[in-house]
Amino acid sequence: VDSEINLNNHTIDGAVRENSCNYAPFQNTNGHSLILKNGTISNFSTTDDSTTNPYHGGVIFNNGADSIFVALNTTFSNNTVKGVPNSWGGVIANLNSYAPQIDIEGSSFIGNIANDEGGAIFNASSNSDNKIVDSYFQNNKSLTKTGGAIYNTDGTLSVENSYFYENTAVGAGAIKNDNSGNLTIKNSIF
């Protein structure tokens, strides 16, 4: 890993990103690590009303070779990503075939919204060990497509000991596994 940013005991409230670059406020790319511990991130709004800019991740865009995003005991609430087309991941968009990785443990995702897939998390990383453990997903929404809490497409994802409650979408309110996604779910409640 080239560099690491570690935020511990943080509260970040209310960032707005409109009609600008098409990625989330926090961008973790190309071999870096972003680690969030014991904190809260809420009320982020990432939008674009144009018809050309896709938006990936309302809070975090994790992309590129060996990029690692870790959330430990962190709460993500009331974050949104809206735009036309392809507004994925109300909180996190983890995508690329060059093995970006997410590791989420003991974290909560509450009331997050994506216009398209993945109300909380969009995962399309197939060459890494993406994990969600002991986490809570409530009232997350995909407004126009699928995966109210999580959308996994062409990605590898393991979900264990997690709880999903009242997440909604046009299809697959909790988790949508699409295309050649590899999804494993253990000891979780829906």
Side-chain angles (χ1 to χ4, degrees), residues 118-185:
I121 298 171
F122 179 92
N123 181 55
S125 174
S126 58
N127 296 318
S128 61
D129 186 18
N130 299 292
K131 296 182 282 188
I132 300 171
V133 179
D134 298 324
S135 293
Y136 180 79
F137 294 82
Q138 181 179 359
N139 293 329
N140 299 290
K141 297 177 186 177
S142 165
L143 294 177
T144 64
K145 296 195 178 173
T146 61
I150 299 170
Y151 184 83
N152 185 57
T153 181
D154 299 319
T156 300
L157 181 63
S158 172
V159 178
E160 188 170 343
N161 298 326
S162 293
Y163 182 79
F164 295 82
Y165 182 70
E166 295 185 344
N167 299 286
T168 59
V170 173
I175 300 174
K176 172 68 175 181
N177 190 48
D178 208 355
N179 296 322
S180 55
N182 182 2
L183 176 66
T184 303
I185 301 172

Side-chain angles (χ1 to χ4, degrees), residues 65-146:
D66 302 317
S67 297
I68 299 171
F69 170 69
V70 178
L72 301 172
N73 302 315
T74 299
T75 298
F76 300 91
S77 63
N78 302 316
N79 302 293
T80 62
V81 61
K82 295 180 184 178
V84 179
N86 302 327
S87 298
W88 305 326
V91 176
I92 301 164
N94 186 51
L95 56 129
N96 198 308
S97 59
Y98 300 108
Q101 177 180 326
I102 57 173
D103 187 357
I104 297 166
E105 186 172 339
S107 294
S108 297
F109 296 80
I110 302 167
N112 302 291
I113 299 171
N115 192 62
D116 294 325
E117 288 96 352
I121 298 171
F122 179 92
N123 181 55
S125 174
S126 58
N127 296 318
S128 61
D129 186 18
N130 299 292
K131 296 182 282 188
I132 300 171
V133 179
D134 298 324
S135 293
Y136 180 79
F137 294 82
Q138 181 179 359
N139 293 329
N140 299 290
K141 297 177 186 177
S142 165
L143 294 177
T144 64
K145 296 195 178 173
T146 61

Side-chain angles (χ1 to χ4, degrees), residues 41-57:
I41 295 181
S42 58
N43 301 311
F44 275 50
S45 176
T46 303
T47 61
D48 191 332
D49 296 329
S50 76
T51 58
T52 58
N53 292 331
Y55 268 84
H56 307 313

